[in-house]
Amino acid sequence: MITIDLSGPWQLASADGTHRTQMPVPGDVHTALKTAGIIPDPYFGRNENDVQWVANADWTIERRFTLDEPAGAWYLDITYLDTVATVFVNDVPVLQADNCFRRYRPDVSKALKAGENTVRILFRSSIAEGAERQARQPFYIPYSTTNSPIPNGNMLRKPQCHFGWDWNVALAPLGLYGEIALKRLETARIEHVVTNQRHEAGAVDLVVTVTLYAEGQGVLPVFFSLGEERVRLDCGVRAGEITVTHVFHIDEPEFWWPSGSGEQALYELTVGTPTEAITRRIGIRTAELLTDPDEAGSRFAFRINGREIFCRGANWIPADALFSLASREKTEDLLRSAVDANMNMIRVWGGGFYEADWFYDLCDELGLMVWQDFQFACNLYPSTSDFLENVAAEVEYQARRLISHPSIVLWCGDNELVGALTWFPESRENRDRYLVSYDRLNRVIEQALERAAPDAIWWPSSPASGYLDYGDAWHADGSGDMHYWSVWHENKPFADYRSVRPRFCSEFGFQSYTSLPVIETYAAPKDMNIASPVMEHHQKNAGGNERIAGTMFRNFRFPTDFANFVYLSQVQQGLAIKTAVDFWRSLKPHTMGALYWQLNDTWPVASWSSLDYGGSWKVLHYMAKRFFQPVTVAAIPSDDGQEIRFSLVNDTAVDVTVTLNLSLLTLQGERSSLRSIEAVCTPAAAVTGLTLPSADIPDESVLAWSFAASNGMAGEGHHVPGSYKALELEPARLELAVSPSGDGAFDLVVKADGLALFVLIESGTAGRYSDNAFDLASGESRSIRFTPAAPTDAIPQFRIYDLYSCHAAGEGIIKGGSL
């Protein structure tokens, strides 16, 4: 196949000609303008307000290319064109696009000429286009104004968070984020490669279906290879699409397993013609969603390769608010951080992207199961025939593109659209109209998925109590998946997480501030105050700062300065999510999944994420590594506070024996042994290893524990019977010694001369700590390895926090480095 790659530098201009610069493709308009100095960095300070004019304008990008011989059938191959855009070749319109999530392959044969050619793309302002499309609707279609300060994003098939969200900058960006290439059709091209599996008696038939597109009749050899097996089929083609199928039989296959449950075996499949080849890595596995009725309602559990898997993870949002600032390397770091924190599932949330092929390749490699939302979130949407036809084409393309990835175990119709029916006066006053409109959209998505991938597991919405159930799944915990937001949005105490018993909680969260080194990238020293205009601007959830502070008042003594306020906000975020996960894991198998909101950030902002913008771990992520460990122990207080139940949970495939040691810590940090037990924990259900009366914990003491499992896993934790602010803590007199390790990392040793809770080491040098946010008793020390993200010869500067020093004068002492 003759291919002319059209990626690279293009000329960008506003439609009125006022602004001109260069824009790389793939790329986005805002980043190109920032690079040229035409706009300031939208992420710094309150610059977001100053760049709103960009999204209100139309923009063009243009480049030239040379074609020696224009004869033949030529087409453009375009993906991720965002969004309402007209493509011209030599001033001839060849495509009118209006869906960022579709692939376009327009015929351009008649527009080409020998010699120099010009391709130009006119991007229509999404704001102007959204308003016009809203005006054409037969009735008003509401959108969430609290999430989307830029209006009418629900009219357009592009990432909904581009119009703002309660964690995102509102820029409504434009651009071309995927492929653009000119190709000549030789006999036929490959449109889709779809696989499905038939498992029987320890063997697997891998069914490979290839869709070919041709302009006319001909014969085309199609090559199939899997491992060492090679097959050639000579296929007759005709104008339009035809399908070709081949079946590979695999005896005794190696299976693909989620992370922590087994290996991620992958088979390389290649389908080719004389002019092109497509390679997929296939994971052999079975996946089931169990929704059987039971005494509580109905189950919601995933069974992979015949084994039920407790899903531990978080929600994924786009890696950056602006495409050009993301990269495969940055995304891989985020996904590896998920696995390193013992996660085995992420939910690709419905207000962002269907991610690139390589994203799912990474999930396949890492063993991260993917809950894949279709891209509809928190709004109502049109149900006119043109909109639904566009959606059907989107769903069929995306399902065929992605269905072969073993990591994708669920396809979900949308995020919170059923709940959104209660959010707007129009839908509350005429629920029937909007419910019917929703059902039409939801059915189109389901039916298009079934056409493209009949074996895909479908779930209608998140949250949902079941198929064709349009009830309130936020507060119904007997069936389906649940979003539980009462602790954050309703300002309830952390203990409220123990008031519900979800079958699978796919969203729950609590905010914190992003870490101080990240704040310093967007705020000047004068802005280091939670009530400053800049800090408030980088808080997109209404009332979020007040809620963080109010929760702090209830649970902790107030911190002494801004840095400690940021630190303590992260500690309480970690405690909130730990409270939920510990309790829900203790309910296994009643509860079979916990995916907190959210894994990552799109820009530097106060949010619910456990990873900072840029990928550094917040306190929550270090805690998650412990509370998501496949074998772990949790202290669950009773509702009346009279006793503490120690729950043992085992997500491995075999029984483990757990040795649990309880101790008491005085507020001076002296440790004394209290009790030890040994218990067996099976994979089938969490067990109670010990129930301790609260009266066994003396006043002015903290209960601590450590455990070791027979499979080598171990952990520790503490429990405070009352509130942390009631503890009369004393100085821990922390010391931190730093020395180069000789391999580019640094060895840190933290020593305490008192009780130190939630010890956190922080540096302006980006990097990863082997452990963090841990406890130390008097005389104890902890060795930590710090690996900088980029090589450095200089010893980084470190700051050390703990619960006492955050609300009292005094800092940790550095040996071998300087503060």
Side-chain angles (χ1 to χ4, degrees):
M1 178 181 292
I2 298 176
T3 298
I4 299 176
D5 184 1
L6 297 176
S7 62
W10 289 52
Q11 296 303 308
L12 169 68
S14 55
D16 62 7
T18 303
H19 301 286
R20 295 183 181 276
T21 189
Q22 192 176 91
M23 173 176 145
V25 172
D28 69 83
V29 170
H30 283 80
T31 304
L33 295 174
K34 182 190 76 170
T35 301
I38 296 172
I39 63 171
D41 181 356
Y43 294 179
F44 187 83
R46 293 185 286 166
N47 289 344
E48 175 189 1
N49 297 333
D50 300 329
V51 302
Q52 291 302 304
W53 63 270
V54 176
N56 282 283
D58 295 346
W59 296 86
T60 65
I61 59 172
E62 181 178 301
R63 67 159 291 169
R64 293 184 173 90
F65 63 93
T66 300
L67 187 63
D68 294 333
E69 178 51 65
W74 293 85
Y75 65 97
L76 285 174
D77 208 337
I78 307 174
T79 56
Y80 290 107
L81 180 57
D82 185 15
T83 284
V84 179
T86 305
V87 180
F88 300 87
V89 174
N90 298 323
D91 293 325
V92 176
V94 296
L95 173 66
Q96 181 61 58
D98 67 347
N99 191 325
C100 184
F101 308 129
R102 289 176 62 180
R103 178 182 63 191
Y104 293 103
R105 288 182 158 180
D107 183 278
V108 298
S109 305
K110 295 180 180 178
L112 296 172
K113 62 184 180 181
E116 188 175 77
N117 292 258
T118 301
V119 57
R120 176 167 50 92
I121 302 176
L122 171 62
F123 292 98
R124 173 81 162 128
S125 163
S126 295
I127 298 174
E129 187 68 28
E132 291 182 8
R133 294 189 178 208
Q134 180 71 266
R136 294 200 297 266
Q137 295 301 313
F139 51 87
Y140 179 69
I141 310 296
Y143 64 93
S144 176
T145 55
T146 56
N147 280 331
S148 303
I150 298 177
N152 300 314
N154 55 337
M155 296 293 104
L156 301 179
R157 296 307 303 136
K158 68 171 285 166
Q160 297 296 274
C161 65
H162 278 180
F163 299 90
W165 220 259
D166 56 3
W167 39 261
N168 199 29
V169 62
L171 298 175
L174 306 165
L176 202 168
Y177 313 142
E179 176 186 22
I180 180 165
L182 179 67
K183 299 180 180 180
R184 190 171 76 181
L185 184 63
E186 306 288 348
T187 308
R189 69 180 181 232
I190 298 174
E191 289 289 275
H192 307 286
V193 175
V194 174
T195 66
N196 66 295
Q197 302 172 20
R198 298 195 295 253
H199 292 248
E200 188 173 353
V204 174
D205 284 335
L206 179 68
V207 182
V208 184
T209 302
V210 183
T211 303
L212 301 172
Y213 173 84
E215 291 284 347
Q217 291 186 335
V219 176
L220 183 74
V222 180
F223 306 93
F224 298 81
S225 69
L226 185 75
E228 299 300 317
E229 187 174 352
R230 303 285 189 275
V231 175
R232 168 178 169 154
L233 299 178
D234 291 320
C235 306
V237 298
R238 62 181 185 278
E241 290 187 353
I242 68 162
T243 58
V244 181
T245 299
H246 178 70
V247 179
F248 289 99
H249 182 78
I250 308 171
D251 287 315
E252 299 181 352
E254 296 181 66
F255 284 90
W256 180 94
W257 286 95
S259 177
S261 296
E263 299 300 315
Q264 289 76 52
L266 295 168
Y267 292 76
E268 187 167 290
L269 167 71
T270 300
V271 176
T273 70
T275 58
E276 62 178 322
I278 294 175
T279 298
R280 299 272 189 269
R281 286 182 300 171
I282 306 300
I284 303 300
R285 60 104 175 108
T286 62
E288 304 165 82
L289 176 62
L290 308 179
T291 56
D292 315 88
D294 62 11
E295 67 282 354
S298 61
R299 302 198 69 206
F300 193 99
F302 289 92
R303 187 158 60 199
I304 308 297
N305 301 328
R307 186 194 308 168
E308 290 190 23
I309 304 290
F310 191 101
C311 298
R312 311 179 303 268
N315 284 257
W316 171 269
I317 60 176
D320 206 289
L322 293 172
F323 168 83
S324 298
L325 301 182
S327 69
R328 178 170 180 153
E329 292 72 26
K330 293 176 182 178
T331 298
E332 181 172 356
D333 180 65
L334 297 172
L335 294 176
R336 288 192 180 277
S337 287
V339 173
D340 289 346
N342 291 308
M343 297 185 192
N344 61 13
M345 176 179 272
I346 57 169
R347 173 176 173 239
V348 178
W349 168 76
F353 283 101
Y354 307 92
E355 296 287 347
D357 292 297
W358 54 258
F359 175 93
Y360 301 95
D361 288 339
L362 288 170
C363 292
D364 296 341
E365 294 171 14
L366 295 169
L368 272 175
M369 293 181 287
V370 174
W371 168 315
Q372 178 67 53
D373 278 2
F374 287 100
Q375 295 304 302
F376 303 85
C378 296
N379 296 314
L380 303 185
Y381 290 88
S383 57
T384 52
S385 58
D386 59 335
F387 189 86
L388 296 181
E389 288 169 8
N390 200 358
V391 167
E394 165 192 325
V395 170
E396 289 192 38
Y397 165 64
Q398 294 292 346
R400 288 190 172 103
R401 178 174 75 93
L402 299 175
I403 191 60
S404 297
H405 287 280
S407 54
I408 301 179
V409 297
L410 184 74
W411 299 77
C412 178
D414 61 70
N415 175 78
E416 299 187 350
L417 265 58
V418 175
L421 291 166
T422 67
W423 298 352
F424 310 106
E426 296 86 355
S427 54
R428 288 195 297 268
E429 292 166 6
N430 196 341
R431 179 176 170 84
D432 289 351
R433 165 188 276 180
Y434 289 94
L435 178 58
V436 168
S437 180
Y438 167 76
D439 184 63
R440 287 179 177 175
L441 172 64
N442 194 250
R443 289 297 185 93
V444 162
I445 298 170
E446 180 183 11
Q447 291 165 1
L449 175 64
E450 187 173 5
R451 286 193 300 272
D455 296 332
I457 298 175
W458 160 259
W459 187 244
S461 182
S462 183
S465 295
Y467 300 102
L468 297 178
D469 187 326
Y470 301 105
D472 177 15
W474 270 264
H475 300 93
D477 58 0
S479 304
D481 76 307
M482 187 180 196
H483 291 187
Y484 197 68
W485 281 103
S486 293
V487 172
W488 174 257
H489 287 301
E490 298 174 32
N491 209 25
K492 293 188 176 181
F494 298 164
D496 190 68
Y497 284 122
R498 295 192 287 266
S499 71
V500 293
R501 300 166 61 89
R503 310 316 301 265
F504 192 110
C505 199
S506 49
E507 272 194 33
F508 61 102
F510 199 90
Q511 268 201 5
S512 73
Y513 291 104
T514 191
S515 300
L516 186 61
V518 178
I519 293 173
E520 290 171 343
T521 67
Y522 68 79
K526 65 181 178 60
D527 301 315
M528 301 296 179
N529 184 297
I530 63 164
S532 74
V534 167
M535 289 300 296
E536 289 186 340
H537 189 85
H538 286 251
Q539 166 61 272
K540 296 299 186 179
N541 183 242
N545 288 350
E546 293 92 329
R547 198 161 296 126
I548 291 172
T551 304
M552 216 174 274
F553 270 124
R554 292 202 305 267
N555 293 286
F556 300 97
R557 300 187 185 192
F558 218 61
T560 56
D561 58 20
F562 179 77
N564 279 297
F565 193 97
V566 171
Y567 155 77
L568 196 54
S569 78
Q570 292 194 10
V571 169
Q572 71 178 14
Q573 178 193 32
L575 286 172
I577 304 308
K578 182 180 186 298
T579 300
V581 173
D582 282 352
F583 179 65
W584 295 338
R585 289 190 75 184
S586 81
L587 302 179
K588 180 185 178 182
H590 174 90
T591 302
M592 285 300 291
L595 309 179
Y596 63 73
W597 186 271
Q598 67 215 56
L599 179 68
N600 56 304
D601 275 334
T602 57
W603 74 307
V605 66
S607 82
W608 300 265
S609 73
S610 62
L611 295 174
D612 278 323
Y613 179 69
S616 294
W617 291 26
K618 294 162 75 171
V619 169
L620 169 57
H621 210 78
Y622 287 103
M623 287 190 177
K625 183 179 180 180
R626 295 191 280 269
F627 63 61
F628 274 154
Q629 186 172 235
V631 176
T632 194
V633 174
I636 313 294
S638 59
D639 291 342
D640 61 7
Q642 295 301 303
E643 60 184 25
I644 301 157
R645 173 172 61 90
F646 280 87
S647 173
L648 283 57
V649 64
N650 172 18
D651 289 344
T652 71
V654 297
D655 292 0
V656 296
T657 300
V658 175
T659 301
L660 174 63
N661 298 303
L662 305 185
S663 60
L664 294 172
L665 294 170
T666 68
L667 299 187
Q668 294 76 40
E670 298 170 353
R671 187 187 296 272
S672 60
S673 179
L674 179 62
R675 192 170 305 176
S676 296
I677 64 151
E678 192 172 271
V680 174
C681 187
T682 71
V687 300
T688 297
L690 169 70
T691 299
L692 182 75
S694 298
D696 288 2
I697 308 173
D699 292 341
E700 299 299 303
S701 294
V702 173
L703 176 66
W705 69 90
S706 63
F707 74 90
S710 54
N711 65 354
M713 294 182 186
E716 60 188 9
H718 74 257
H719 172 73
V720 173
S723 67
Y724 284 95
K725 69 180 181 181
L727 298 176
E728 294 291 348
L729 294 172
E730 298 186 14
R733 293 176 289 277
L734 291 170
E735 294 184 358
L736 177 63
V738 183
S739 60
S741 64
D743 58 359
F746 295 87
D747 291 324
L748 316 180
V749 178
V750 186
K751 183 180 179 182
D753 192 24
L755 178 60
L757 301 178
F758 307 113
V759 177
L760 181 74
I761 308 165
E762 179 181 85
S763 175
T765 301
R768 181 84 64 85
Y769 300 85
S770 59
D771 195 12
N772 222 337
F774 50 83
D775 302 332
L776 291 174
S778 181
E780 295 179 349
S781 62
R782 184 75 55 101
S783 296
I784 307 294
R785 172 63 63 92
F786 174 70
T787 305
T792 178
D793 294 328
I795 295 179
Q797 294 182 319
F798 295 97
R799 175 167 182 155
I800 190 164
Y801 302 83
D802 77 304
L803 190 57
Y804 171 81
S805 63
C806 93
H807 60 69
E811 295 180 346
I813 301 170
I814 304 299
K815 290 185 177 179
S818 59
L819 280 172

mmCIF file with all atom_site columns, all heavy atoms in Angstrom, residues 286-300:
data_model
loop_
_atom_site.group_PDB
_atom_site.id
_atom_site.type_symbol
_atom_site.label_atom_id
_atom_site.label_alt_id
_atom_site.label_comp_id
_atom_site.label_asym_id
_atom_site.label_entity_id
_atom_site.label_seq_id
_atom_site.pdbx_PDB_ins_code
_atom_site.Cartn_x
_atom_site.Cartn_y
_atom_site.Cartn_z
_atom_site.occupancy
_atom_site.B_iso_or_equiv
_atom_site.pdbx_formal_charge
_atom_site.auth_seq_id
_atom_site.auth_comp_id
_atom_site.auth_asym_id
_atom_site.auth_atom_id
_atom_site.pdbx_PDB_model_num
ATOM 1   N N   . THR A 1 286 ? -11.648 -16.596 29.896 1.00 0.00 ? 286 THR A N   1
ATOM 2   C CA  . THR A 1 286 ? -13.092 -16.445 29.942 1.00 0.00 ? 286 THR A CA  1
ATOM 3   C C   . THR A 1 286 ? -13.420 -15.345 30.940 1.00 0.00 ? 286 THR A C   1
ATOM 4   O O   . THR A 1 286 ? -12.687 -15.133 31.913 1.00 0.00 ? 286 THR A O   1
ATOM 5   C CB  . THR A 1 286 ? -13.792 -17.745 30.369 1.00 0.00 ? 286 THR A CB  1
ATOM 6   O OG1 . THR A 1 286 ? -13.370 -18.100 31.701 1.00 0.00 ? 286 THR A OG1 1
ATOM 7   C CG2 . THR A 1 286 ? -13.464 -18.881 29.407 1.00 0.00 ? 286 THR A CG2 1
ATOM 8   N N   . ALA A 1 287 ? -14.502 -14.635 30.693 1.00 0.00 ? 287 ALA A N   1
ATOM 9   C CA  . ALA A 1 287 ? -14.952 -13.590 31.616 1.00 0.00 ? 287 ALA A CA  1
ATOM 10  C C   . ALA A 1 287 ? -16.467 -13.674 31.734 1.00 0.00 ? 287 ALA A C   1
ATOM 11  O O   . ALA A 1 287 ? -17.174 -13.798 30.732 1.00 0.00 ? 287 ALA A O   1
ATOM 12  C CB  . ALA A 1 287 ? -14.537 -12.210 31.123 1.00 0.00 ? 287 ALA A CB  1
ATOM 13  N N   . GLU A 1 288 ? -16.927 -13.626 32.968 1.00 0.00 ? 288 GLU A N   1
ATOM 14  C CA  . GLU A 1 288 ? -18.362 -13.649 33.239 1.00 0.00 ? 288 GLU A CA  1
ATOM 15  C C   . GLU A 1 288 ? -18.696 -12.575 34.265 1.00 0.00 ? 288 GLU A C   1
ATOM 16  O O   . GLU A 1 288 ? -17.894 -12.293 35.160 1.00 0.00 ? 288 GLU A O   1
ATOM 17  C CB  . GLU A 1 288 ? -18.780 -15.013 33.801 1.00 0.00 ? 288 GLU A CB  1
ATOM 18  C CG  . GLU A 1 288 ? -18.425 -16.209 32.938 1.00 0.00 ? 288 GLU A CG  1
ATOM 19  C CD  . GLU A 1 288 ? -18.530 -17.502 33.722 1.00 0.00 ? 288 GLU A CD  1
ATOM 20  O OE1 . GLU A 1 288 ? -19.660 -18.024 33.854 1.00 0.00 ? 288 GLU A OE1 1
ATOM 21  O OE2 . GLU A 1 288 ? -17.486 -17.973 34.220 1.00 0.00 ? 288 GLU A OE2 1
ATOM 22  N N   . LEU A 1 289 ? -19.878 -12.006 34.132 1.00 0.00 ? 289 LEU A N   1
ATOM 23  C CA  . LEU A 1 289 ? -20.429 -11.118 35.153 1.00 0.00 ? 289 LEU A CA  1
ATOM 24  C C   . LEU A 1 289 ? -21.565 -11.859 35.825 1.00 0.00 ? 289 LEU A C   1
ATOM 25  O O   . LEU A 1 289 ? -22.567 -12.203 35.183 1.00 0.00 ? 289 LEU A O   1
ATOM 26  C CB  . LEU A 1 289 ? -20.926 -9.810  34.548 1.00 0.00 ? 289 LEU A CB  1
ATOM 27  C CG  . LEU A 1 289 ? -21.606 -8.842  35.521 1.00 0.00 ? 289 LEU A CG  1
ATOM 28  C CD1 . LEU A 1 289 ? -20.642 -8.391  36.619 1.00 0.00 ? 289 LEU A CD1 1
ATOM 29  C CD2 . LEU A 1 289 ? -22.180 -7.629  34.782 1.00 0.00 ? 289 LEU A CD2 1
ATOM 30  N N   . LEU A 1 290 ? -21.411 -12.130 37.114 1.00 0.00 ? 290 LEU A N   1
ATOM 31  C CA  . LEU A 1 290 ? -22.406 -12.895 37.864 1.00 0.00 ? 290 LEU A CA  1
ATOM 32  C C   . LEU A 1 290 ? -23.426 -11.944 38.470 1.00 0.00 ? 290 LEU A C   1
ATOM 33  O O   . LEU A 1 290 ? -23.065 -11.049 39.243 1.00 0.00 ? 290 LEU A O   1
ATOM 34  C CB  . LEU A 1 290 ? -21.718 -13.698 38.969 1.00 0.00 ? 290 LEU A CB  1
ATOM 35  C CG  . LEU A 1 290 ? -20.538 -14.580 38.531 1.00 0.00 ? 290 LEU A CG  1
ATOM 36  C CD1 . LEU A 1 290 ? -19.942 -15.300 39.734 1.00 0.00 ? 290 LEU A CD1 1
ATOM 37  C CD2 . LEU A 1 290 ? -20.963 -15.565 37.458 1.00 0.00 ? 290 LEU A CD2 1
ATOM 38  N N   . THR A 1 291 ? -24.679 -12.123 38.097 1.00 0.00 ? 291 THR A N   1
ATOM 39  C CA  . THR A 1 291 ? -25.761 -11.286 38.637 1.00 0.00 ? 291 THR A CA  1
ATOM 40  C C   . THR A 1 291 ? -26.881 -12.157 39.196 1.00 0.00 ? 291 THR A C   1
ATOM 41  O O   . THR A 1 291 ? -28.055 -11.805 39.121 1.00 0.00 ? 291 THR A O   1
ATOM 42  C CB  . THR A 1 291 ? -26.308 -10.338 37.552 1.00 0.00 ? 291 THR A CB  1
ATOM 43  O OG1 . THR A 1 291 ? -26.745 -11.107 36.419 1.00 0.00 ? 291 THR A OG1 1
ATOM 44  C CG2 . THR A 1 291 ? -25.251 -9.333  37.110 1.00 0.00 ? 291 THR A CG2 1
ATOM 45  N N   . ASP A 1 292 ? -26.506 -13.298 39.765 1.00 0.00 ? 292 ASP A N   1
ATOM 46  C CA  . ASP A 1 292 ? -27.498 -14.241 40.282 1.00 0.00 ? 292 ASP A CA  1
ATOM 47  C C   . ASP A 1 292 ? -28.254 -13.640 41.467 1.00 0.00 ? 292 ASP A C   1
ATOM 48  O O   . ASP A 1 292 ? -27.658 -12.989 42.329 1.00 0.00 ? 292 ASP A O   1
ATOM 49  C CB  . ASP A 1 292 ? -26.815 -15.532 40.743 1.00 0.00 ? 292 ASP A CB  1
ATOM 50  C CG  . ASP A 1 292 ? -25.788 -16.026 39.744 1.00 0.00 ? 292 ASP A CG  1
ATOM 51  O OD1 . ASP A 1 292 ? -24.630 -15.597 39.856 1.00 0.00 ? 292 ASP A OD1 1
ATOM 52  O OD2 . ASP A 1 292 ? -26.163 -16.801 38.864 1.00 0.00 ? 292 ASP A OD2 1
ATOM 53  N N   . PRO A 1 293 ? -29.564 -13.904 41.551 1.00 0.00 ? 293 PRO A N   1
ATOM 54  C CA  . PRO A 1 293 ? -30.316 -13.463 42.737 1.00 0.00 ? 293 PRO A CA  1
ATOM 55  C C   . PRO A 1 293 ? -29.812 -14.156 43.995 1.00 0.00 ? 293 PRO A C   1
ATOM 56  O O   . PRO A 1 293 ? -29.378 -15.313 43.967 1.00 0.00 ? 293 PRO A O   1
ATOM 57  C CB  . PRO A 1 293 ? -31.757 -13.899 42.411 1.00 0.00 ? 293 PRO A CB  1
ATOM 58  C CG  . PRO A 1 293 ? -31.795 -14.091 40.927 1.00 0.00 ? 293 PRO A CG  1
ATOM 59  C CD  . PRO A 1 293 ? -30.425 -14.559 40.550 1.00 0.00 ? 293 PRO A CD  1
ATOM 60  N N   . ASP A 1 294 ? -29.831 -13.429 45.105 1.00 0.00 ? 294 ASP A N   1
ATOM 61  C CA  . ASP A 1 294 ? -29.509 -14.027 46.398 1.00 0.00 ? 294 ASP A CA  1
ATOM 62  C C   . ASP A 1 294 ? -30.354 -13.361 47.466 1.00 0.00 ? 294 ASP A C   1
ATOM 63  O O   . ASP A 1 294 ? -31.245 -12.549 47.159 1.00 0.00 ? 294 ASP A O   1
ATOM 64  C CB  . ASP A 1 294 ? -28.010 -13.947 46.703 1.00 0.00 ? 294 ASP A CB  1
ATOM 65  C CG  . ASP A 1 294 ? -27.470 -12.518 46.794 1.00 0.00 ? 294 ASP A CG  1
ATOM 66  O OD1 . ASP A 1 294 ? -28.282 -11.567 46.838 1.00 0.00 ? 294 ASP A OD1 1
ATOM 67  O OD2 . ASP A 1 294 ? -26.240 -12.340 46.825 1.00 0.00 ? 294 ASP A OD2 1
ATOM 68  N N   . GLU A 1 295 ? -30.080 -13.689 48.720 1.00 0.00 ? 295 GLU A N   1
ATOM 69  C CA  . GLU A 1 295 ? -30.939 -13.197 49.804 1.00 0.00 ? 295 GLU A CA  1
ATOM 70  C C   . GLU A 1 295 ? -30.889 -11.680 49.954 1.00 0.00 ? 295 GLU A C   1
ATOM 71  O O   . GLU A 1 295 ? -31.824 -11.063 50.468 1.00 0.00 ? 295 GLU A O   1
ATOM 72  C CB  . GLU A 1 295 ? -30.537 -13.865 51.121 1.00 0.00 ? 295 GLU A CB  1
ATOM 73  C CG  . GLU A 1 295 ? -29.166 -13.494 51.672 1.00 0.00 ? 295 GLU A CG  1
ATOM 74  C CD  . GLU A 1 295 ? -28.011 -14.204 50.971 1.00 0.00 ? 295 GLU A CD  1
ATOM 75  O OE1 . GLU A 1 295 ? -28.278 -15.087 50.106 1.00 0.00 ? 295 GLU A OE1 1
ATOM 76  O OE2 . GLU A 1 295 ? -26.842 -13.879 51.269 1.00 0.00 ? 295 GLU A OE2 1
ATOM 77  N N   . ALA A 1 296 ? -29.806 -11.031 49.494 1.00 0.00 ? 296 ALA A N   1
ATOM 78  C CA  . ALA A 1 296 ? -29.686 -9.576  49.624 1.00 0.00 ? 296 ALA A CA  1
ATOM 79  C C   . ALA A 1 296 ? -30.235 -8.833  48.406 1.00 0.00 ? 296 ALA A C   1
ATOM 80  O O   . ALA A 1 296 ? -30.465 -7.631  48.474 1.00 0.00 ? 296 ALA A O   1
ATOM 81  C CB  . ALA A 1 296 ? -28.229 -9.197  49.849 1.00 0.00 ? 296 ALA A CB  1
ATOM 82  N N   . GLY A 1 297 ? -30.410 -9.512  47.307 1.00 0.00 ? 297 GLY A N   1
ATOM 83  C CA  . GLY A 1 297 ? -30.850 -8.885  46.053 1.00 0.00 ? 297 GLY A CA  1
ATOM 84  C C   . GLY A 1 297 ? -30.321 -9.669  44.881 1.00 0.00 ? 297 GLY A C   1
ATOM 85  O O   . GLY A 1 297 ? -30.899 -10.687 44.486 1.00 0.00 ? 297 GLY A O   1
ATOM 86  N N   . SER A 1 298 ? -29.184 -9.249  44.330 1.00 0.00 ? 298 SER A N   1
ATOM 87  C CA  . SER A 1 298 ? -28.499 -10.023 43.295 1.00 0.00 ? 298 SER A CA  1
ATOM 88  C C   . SER A 1 298 ? -27.019 -9.660  43.304 1.00 0.00 ? 298 SER A C   1
ATOM 89  O O   . SER A 1 298 ? -26.637 -8.542  43.649 1.00 0.00 ? 298 SER A O   1
ATOM 90  C CB  . SER A 1 298 ? -29.110 -9.782  41.915 1.00 0.00 ? 298 SER A CB  1
ATOM 91  O OG  . SER A 1 298 ? -29.015 -8.424  41.547 1.00 0.00 ? 298 SER A OG  1
ATOM 92  N N   . ARG A 1 299 ? -26.195 -10.609 42.912 1.00 0.00 ? 299 ARG A N   1
ATOM 93  C CA  . ARG A 1 299 ? -24.755 -10.441 42.968 1.00 0.00 ? 299 ARG A CA  1
ATOM 94  C C   . ARG A 1 299 ? -24.272 -9.502  41.853 1.00 0.00 ? 299 ARG A C   1
ATOM 95  O O   . ARG A 1 299 ? -24.975 -9.251  40.874 1.00 0.00 ? 299 ARG A O   1
ATOM 96  C CB  . ARG A 1 299 ? -24.049 -11.791 42.830 1.00 0.00 ? 299 ARG A CB  1
ATOM 97  C CG  . ARG A 1 299 ? -24.429 -12.817 43.888 1.00 0.00 ? 299 ARG A CG  1
ATOM 98  C CD  . ARG A 1 299 ? -23.393 -13.929 43.939 1.00 0.00 ? 299 ARG A CD  1
ATOM 99  N NE  . ARG A 1 299 ? -22.134 -13.421 44.460 1.00 0.00 ? 299 ARG A NE  1
ATOM 100 C CZ  . ARG A 1 299 ? -20.949 -13.959 44.181 1.00 0.00 ? 299 ARG A CZ  1
ATOM 101 N NH1 . ARG A 1 299 ? -20.865 -14.998 43.359 1.00 0.00 ? 299 ARG A NH1 1
ATOM 102 N NH2 . ARG A 1 299 ? -19.842 -13.449 44.696 1.00 0.00 ? 299 ARG A NH2 1
ATOM 103 N N   . PHE A 1 300 ? -23.053 -9.030  42.027 1.00 0.00 ? 300 PHE A N   1
ATOM 104 C CA  . PHE A 1 300 ? -22.334 -8.316  40.969 1.00 0.00 ? 300 PHE A CA  1
ATOM 105 C C   . PHE A 1 300 ? -20.870 -8.689  41.161 1.00 0.00 ? 300 PHE A C   1
ATOM 106 O O   . PHE A 1 300 ? -20.161 -8.084  41.967 1.00 0.00 ? 300 PHE A O   1
ATOM 107 C CB  . PHE A 1 300 ? -22.537 -6.804  41.066 1.00 0.00 ? 300 PHE A CB  1
ATOM 108 C CG  . PHE A 1 300 ? -22.090 -6.052  39.839 1.00 0.00 ? 300 PHE A CG  1
ATOM 109 C CD1 . PHE A 1 300 ? -23.003 -5.641  38.880 1.00 0.00 ? 300 PHE A CD1 1
ATOM 110 C CD2 . PHE A 1 300 ? -20.746 -5.753  39.631 1.00 0.00 ? 300 PHE A CD2 1
ATOM 111 C CE1 . PHE A 1 300 ? -22.600 -4.942  37.746 1.00 0.00 ? 300 PHE A CE1 1
ATOM 112 C CE2 . PHE A 1 300 ? -20.330 -5.064  38.503 1.00 0.00 ? 300 PHE A CE2 1
ATOM 113 C CZ  . PHE A 1 300 ? -21.265 -4.658  37.554 1.00 0.00 ? 300 PHE A CZ  1
#
